[in-house]
Amino acid sequence: MQKVSFFKSIHVKLVLIYVLLIVIALQIIGIYFSKELEDSLKGNFQDSILQRMELVQYSIREEMLKESNETNSTSTTTPTPESGIDAILREFSTDDINEIRVIDRRNRILATSDRDNQSMVGQRSNDDIVRTAMSVEALQDNIALDKQTMPMQRVWVLAAPITDTVGPNSEVLGAIYIESNIEKVYEQMSEINRIFAAGIAVSLAITIILGILVARTITRPISDMRKQAQAMSKGNFSRKVRVYGTDEIGQLAIAFNHLTNRLQESQSTTEAERRKLASVLSNMTDGVIATDRKGKIILINEPALSLLHDTRESTLNRPIASVLGLDQEYSFEDLIHMKESVSLDFSTSDAPYILRANFSVIQKETGFVNGLITVLHDITEQEKIDMERREFVANVSHELRTPLTTMRSYLEALADGAWRDENIAPTFLNVTQTETERMIRLVNDLLQLSKMDSQEYELNFEFVEFNKFFTHIIDRFEMSKSKNVEFLRLLPETSYFVDVDADKLTQVMDNIISNSLKYSPDGGNIRFGVTVHENMLRVMISDDGMGIPKENVGRIFDRFYRVDRARARSMGGSGLGLAIAREMIEAHGGRIWAESEEGVGTTVFFTLPFELDGAGDWE
């Protein structure tokens, strides 16, 4: 188990949590305290300024009305109230008020309390707050930065209109502009915050010390449990956790020791079951695949890897539908609900390869799907046998039905009175006899193949000199041939002896030569040859017939297979001759195959083991 770093340990986390809780509490208290104190100080400051502003406003209004009345009674010239206003402004100037200005209704500055700005008296005021206050006849204020101070300080700017009377019909005489030094309020707040921060720092130091002591009482038994868990991961269940008390941590330590005992028992049982399961999976001939609840493979045995021609590294943690090649047709949810088996066709152009997959869901008692078990079987041979069986039954049924249909037609004609006609009746009887013989040959061939499939036959081996044996068969066909076909013999002078069943080998050659005669045109050639290749005697029988398409050459030795079914049936073939020939040659330890070119001809080869010196009785 990896060692826990200092900053990731629960001890540090508990201290940090404890400290953070205290810090958060202090911050919330500090923010609330600072906000309330700031609002209180700022409110008191502003109330003080507003009260003085009302007195200044009243005094200036009275002064402006007084000067206006005196002027109206003595002269028609513009009044000059600056002298009286200056006295009022000097009276109300204090340390917390930077400047007081009086502006008349024409935005002309009448007076200012700032001794350094007396030059602006008589000039127009450009302050928007003043114009706004006179236009809306209401108090206007904002907090701004005094650019004339370094560093710049915050000032509270107020502008209030001066009216001749109080009420809706009052007339604006001017406005009063006040800049108050509110920066002192913020300086007081900063000082209070510094004192509060120092108190917080002292509190945190005490909190950290107490947090370390408290956390140690919790982390010590947890550390013991961690060491026990490390020992358990290595298979050591003898170590026990020390119990420090009867609180929740102590109860946890007791439960942990009980868990250790139960795990020791379960581990022993699980290990025994695991060995049993591993033995079963290893010795199964079927492939087994297990997935998790998301459909990813978590277990696969060697037979399954062999059937899928894959490796364990490339299959684990992959979706089962992808590994089985079913991802285009089924999702994992579809496979969970799959009741029937699924065929997996991995066949290639060279060889068929078919697997059958059966699916079983792993479920908990609550019905929750925990995974999927898939069992794979190789059914290639079974499918091949089933296909051959179906094809065999269909071919036999067709081959028997054709002569039977013909016989029924002719027999019905004879039953209807055709037997009385001396010219037609013999022909009809001859056809029925021919079809009957054809069915007999077919049944005999089927019986012979059945015996060969069940190995219920014995070969009577004897040594024969192959050249003489082959020549005798060729002579027999040459004497009885009905076509103008020339036989060309390419036989060696060396004597080769073969240990064969002469009757069975004669049947093989009869079937091959009969096919060559059937498909050879008048004036064609049939060639017979014998050569030696790789310690085997190779026999060749070649004709100048119609030939066989390249894609069909490999199937002419299958049962009932015909390249041209109509022509072969019209020539009396059953489609079993070459199949019997293949079985016979393979029973003699040889091999048979064909080479053909369409429109040129066909050559059949077969091999037999031979000896140069004969042994035993032979003729």
Side-chain angles (χ1 to χ4, degrees), residues 218-232:
I218 299 174
T219 57
R220 183 180 299 171
I222 294 177
S223 178
D224 287 348
M225 294 181 196
R226 175 176 173 271
K227 294 177 181 178
Q228 171 63 11
Q230 290 177 331
M232 289 167 59

Side-chain angles (χ1 to χ4, degrees), residues 444-462:
N444 289 335
D445 288 343
L446 289 173
L447 290 174
Q448 185 174 2
L449 283 173
S450 177
K451 290 180 180 180
M452 296 176 71
D453 289 339
S454 60
Q455 296 182 353
E456 293 180 357
Y457 68 95
E458 294 182 359
L459 297 178
N460 298 317
F461 287 99
E462 58 178 320

Side-chain angles (χ1 to χ4, degrees), residues 232-511:
M232 289 167 59
S233 66
K234 297 177 182 178
N236 180 14
F237 295 93
S238 60
R239 190 178 183 275
K240 303 299 179 183
V241 177
R242 182 179 176 184
V243 180
Y244 289 93
T246 58
D247 57 1
E248 289 84 353
I249 300 295
Q251 294 296 323
L252 178 61
I254 295 172
F256 198 88
N257 289 332
H258 180 66
L259 176 64
T260 302
N261 297 331
R262 295 296 301 273
L263 281 176
Q264 186 174 10
E265 297 172 1
S266 299
Q267 197 263 351
S268 300
T269 305
T270 302
E271 183 64 22
E273 294 297 329
R274 187 191 66 80
R275 285 195 291 266
K276 291 179 184 178
L277 179 60
S279 177
V280 170
L281 291 177
S282 300
N283 293 283
M284 286 182 66
T285 57
D286 295 331
V288 177
I289 304 174
T291 72
D292 59 11
R293 60 186 180 88
K294 295 182 179 180
K296 293 185 178 180
I297 295 175
I298 58 176
L299 183 145
I300 183 169
N301 66 348
E302 289 298 330
L305 293 173
S306 178
L307 290 172
L308 294 173
H309 303 299
D310 214 332
T311 61
R312 192 179 304 275
E313 291 75 15
S314 61
T315 53
L316 290 178
N317 295 320
R318 283 182 57 196
I320 187 170
S322 175
V323 173
L324 298 180
L326 299 174
D327 49 345
Q328 299 296 327
E329 302 176 30
Y330 304 99
S331 64
F332 179 64
E333 288 74 16
D334 296 332
L335 297 181
I336 290 175
H337 299 92
M338 188 70 64
K339 302 298 182 183
E340 303 294 333
S341 60
V342 176
S343 294
L344 310 176
D345 192 350
F346 296 105
S347 301
T348 62
S349 57
D350 298 330
Y353 188 56
I354 303 174
L355 303 179
R356 182 176 64 205
N358 294 296
F359 302 97
S360 177
V361 180
I362 306 173
Q363 285 183 315
K364 294 184 177 179
E365 294 180 356
T366 58
F368 181 78
V369 175
N370 221 21
L372 188 69
I373 294 291
T374 304
V375 180
L376 301 178
H377 307 270
D378 186 354
I379 60 170
T380 305
E381 289 301 322
Q382 180 181 341
E383 287 291 319
K384 184 178 179 181
I385 291 171
D386 288 343
M387 182 179 64
E388 290 178 352
R389 177 182 55 80
R390 291 191 294 269
E391 185 177 357
F392 178 77
V393 171
N395 286 329
V396 170
S397 300
H398 185 75
E399 294 297 333
L400 290 175
R401 184 179 61 184
T402 301
L404 286 174
T405 302
T406 303
M407 291 172 61
R408 184 179 66 178
S409 300
Y410 281 95
L411 289 174
E412 286 177 353
L414 290 170
D416 290 338
W419 62 273
R420 297 187 183 93
D421 190 332
E422 296 180 356
N423 295 324
I424 298 177
T427 304
F428 282 14
L429 290 173
N430 185 44
V431 171
T432 57
Q433 183 180 2
T434 302
E435 294 299 326
T436 302
E437 292 174 353
R438 178 181 170 186
M439 283 195 298
I440 291 173
R441 288 196 303 271
L442 175 61
V443 172
N444 289 335
D445 288 343
L446 289 173
L447 290 174
Q448 185 174 2
L449 283 173
S450 177
K451 290 180 180 180
M452 296 176 71
D453 289 339
S454 60
Q455 296 182 353
E456 293 180 357
Y457 68 95
E458 294 182 359
L459 297 178
N460 298 317
F461 287 99
E462 58 178 320
F463 274 96
V464 298
E465 203 280 311
F466 188 77
N467 288 347
K468 292 182 180 180
F469 176 75
F470 197 12
T471 301
H472 175 71
I473 295 175
I474 297 171
D475 291 341
R476 177 161 53 82
F477 273 95
E478 191 171 22
M479 291 176 61
S480 61
K481 64 183 179 180
S482 59
K483 287 185 178 180
N484 182 21
V485 177
E486 183 177 356
F487 283 13
L488 301 179
R489 310 182 191 210
L490 307 173
L491 305 179
E493 296 180 358
T494 305
S495 296
Y496 298 102
F497 297 90
V498 291
D499 189 13
V500 296
D501 186 323
D503 292 338
K504 297 295 189 295
L505 192 57
T506 299
Q507 184 180 359
V508 170
M509 292 185 175
D510 285 351
N511 289 338

Side-chain angles (χ1 to χ4, degrees), residues 77-103:
T77 60
T78 303
T80 58
E82 289 84 349
S83 59
I85 294 173
D86 284 340
I88 296 172
L89 296 182
R90 285 194 297 273
E91 180 182 355
F92 285 96
S93 294
T94 58
D95 293 339
D96 52 358
I97 295 178
N98 295 339
E99 183 180 6
I100 304 177
R101 299 177 195 169
V102 178
I103 300 96

